[in-house]
Amino acid sequence: MGRWEPNARERLSRAALELFTEQGYDSTTVAEIAERAGLTKRTFFRHFGDKREVLFGGQDALTALLADTITDAAASATPIEVIGAALEATVVVFGPERRTWSQQRQAVIDVNPELRERELLKLGTLTAAIGEALQKRGIPEPAASLGAEFGNLAFRTAFARWIDPANQQDFAELARRALTELREASATLG
Amino acid sequence: MGRWEPNARERLSRAALELFTEQGYDSTTVAEIAERAGLTKRTFFRHFGDKREVLFGGQDALTALLADTITDAAASATPIEVIGAALEATVVVFGPERRTWSQQRQAVIDVNPELRERELLKLGTLTAAIGEALQKRGIPEPAASLGAEFGNLAFRTAFARWIDPANQQDFAELARRALTELREASATLG
């Protein structure tokens, strides 16, 4: 182990995103990221398995946060209430200090087909985790999988609105609204 | 162009699936597939872009069939009726003569993480196509995306039941039932 570097993970994340934005994801090397952050490649690999993990490393924690909130919700809560509570809990991840980073990260992903695929797969994992957590509460199939898709769609809608430059609402409010809209839309399907 | 080979595409598909089943997907080469089918590599590449396309080449046609059925449905049909009609229309793809092939194909995919990822991405494309076709009928968001997820979940459930060795029902019946179950489950979410 090398010497302790304060905020190494955050410095590396910021440096990586700057470089991805400036010169593209594919053209950026780990050596350049470490150099920009004033750290070594070795320090980079203590924090991230590879370059892609800078963008997607946080998704496992997000998935765990959603699943844990579902598990810990009151027994009396309906599935939609449970999903709403899980989405609102992610406000600790998607706080105001994270918004610029999330906007830049999304811009990098949106122009790269391989990263877009990775994002879709990560969202698939997140949706499956919600479904499993709902099943563990005793919610039978296909209600658990359907509830998970409500969660996935509400999350994606809330996230897209949250990173919109004109947005002034916090993530929890946006998540609540997106879920309400989905429940209303569900009633119109016939 | 080489000489005309009767049923070349089907012979190549069968040969490929036999080899994938016997020796694994990763260990099988295009040369082996062509040899087993009694055809040349050149003929293989006239029908498939690569080895993976043997397993996933049919998904574009399936996606187009779903989208076209949605587009052509009666203007008076509700979104759920339209989705049901689209799923039932795929019985022309998932007929009895296709069932063994589909069972073997799924067994090959299920044991290969890379192929499972590809399948998830293809299902994502299919879901997006359903959503776009619903939007073109004037169904607003988020109802169109939610309807597409109903279609995706019903399709996956119906398909899993259809390839079950004990199954005796046809794909259209299974799709109808899966969609009805989803509508009922939706009412239980709270």
Side-chain angles (χ1 to χ4, degrees):
Chain A
M1 295 285 287
R3 66 198 168 86
W4 179 77
E5 294 286 358
N7 304 322
R9 192 180 168 93
E10 196 185 326
R11 281 161 63 192
L12 288 161
S13 289
R14 282 184 195 280
L17 207 51
E18 279 175 24
L19 287 162
F20 297 162
T21 304
E22 288 166 20
Q23 64 191 32
Y25 173 81
D26 288 330
S27 312
T28 300
T29 66
V30 167
E32 288 172 311
I33 295 168
E35 194 192 343
R36 174 76 61 105
L39 297 165
T40 62
K41 270 177 74 172
R42 201 172 146 166
T43 301
F44 180 93
F45 287 116
R46 269 208 300 279
H47 289 277
F48 301 101
D50 55 26
K51 188 173 72 168
R52 203 168 62 181
E53 209 183 311
V54 176
L55 299 172
F56 295 105
Q59 300 246 345
D60 292 344
L62 177 64
T63 299
L65 175 62
L66 288 164
D68 290 349
T69 309
I70 290 169
T71 302
D72 296 342
S76 61
T78 68
I80 283 289
E81 286 168 350
V82 168
I83 295 160
L87 294 176
E88 286 177 41
T90 66
V91 74
V92 302
V93 178
F94 301 114
E97 75 293 344
R98 186 74 175 173
R99 195 157 153 252
T100 302
W101 198 90
S102 293
Q103 287 168 331
Q104 288 174 353
R105 172 184 174 278
Q106 198 62 43
V108 169
I109 291 170
D110 284 348
V111 297
N112 186 307
E114 191 209 317
L115 296 176
R116 282 210 306 271
E117 285 199 350
R118 184 56 37 190
E119 185 184 38
L120 281 174
L121 290 168
K122 283 282 185 181
L123 286 168
T125 304
L126 183 145
T127 306
I130 296 175
E132 279 162 36
L134 290 172
Q135 280 190 48
K136 280 192 197 141
R137 290 181 66 85
I139 298 165
E141 285 289 34
S145 288
L146 185 62
E149 291 297 350
F150 272 91
N152 174 39
L153 286 172
F155 174 77
R156 291 163 74 163
T157 300
F159 185 81
R161 288 173 180 167
W162 180 63
I163 61 171
D164 186 298
N167 170 50
Q168 310 248 340
Q169 293 184 281
D170 80 6
F171 194 86
E173 281 178 82
L174 292 166
R176 247 191 319 271
R177 177 154 68 92
L179 197 56
T180 301
E181 287 171 2
L182 275 176
R183 289 304 287 153
E184 289 169 0
S186 181
T188 70
L189 292 179
Chain B
M1 296 285 285
R3 66 199 167 86
W4 180 77
E5 296 285 358
N7 303 323
R9 191 180 169 93
E10 197 185 326
R11 283 161 62 191
L12 289 161
S13 288
R14 282 183 196 281
L17 207 50
E18 280 175 25
L19 287 163
F20 297 162
T21 303
E22 289 166 20
Q23 63 191 33
Y25 172 82
D26 287 330
S27 312
T28 300
T29 66
V30 167
E32 289 172 311
I33 295 168
E35 194 192 343
R36 173 76 61 106
L39 297 166
T40 62
K41 271 177 72 172
R42 200 170 148 169
T43 301
F44 180 93
F45 286 115
R46 270 208 298 281
H47 289 277
F48 300 101
D50 56 26
K51 188 172 73 167
R52 202 169 63 181
E53 209 184 310
V54 175
L55 298 172
F56 295 105
Q59 299 245 348
D60 292 344
L62 177 64
T63 298
L65 174 62
L66 287 163
D68 290 349
T69 309
I70 290 169
T71 302
D72 296 344
S76 60
T78 67
I80 283 288
E81 285 169 350
V82 167
I83 294 160
L87 294 176
E88 288 179 39
T90 66
V91 73
V92 302
V93 178
F94 301 114
E97 74 293 343
R98 186 73 175 173
R99 196 158 154 253
T100 302
W101 198 91
S102 292
Q103 287 168 332
Q104 290 175 350
R105 171 184 173 278
Q106 198 62 44
V108 169
I109 291 171
D110 285 348
V111 297
N112 186 307
E114 191 209 317
L115 295 176
R116 281 210 305 272
E117 283 200 350
R118 184 56 37 190
E119 185 183 37
L120 280 174
L121 290 168
K122 284 281 185 181
L123 285 168
T125 305
L126 183 145
T127 307
I130 295 174
E132 280 163 35
L134 290 172
Q135 279 190 48
K136 281 194 195 138
R137 290 180 67 84
I139 298 165
E141 285 291 33
S145 287
L146 185 62
E149 292 297 349
F150 272 91
N152 174 38
L153 286 172
F155 173 77
R156 291 164 74 162
T157 301
F159 185 81
R161 289 175 179 166
W162 180 64
I163 62 171
D164 186 298
N167 169 52
Q168 310 247 340
Q169 292 185 281
D170 80 5
F171 193 86
E173 280 178 83
L174 293 166
R176 246 190 322 270
R177 177 154 68 93
L179 198 55
T180 300
E181 287 171 2
L182 275 175
R183 289 305 286 153
E184 289 168 0
S186 181
T188 70
L189 293 178

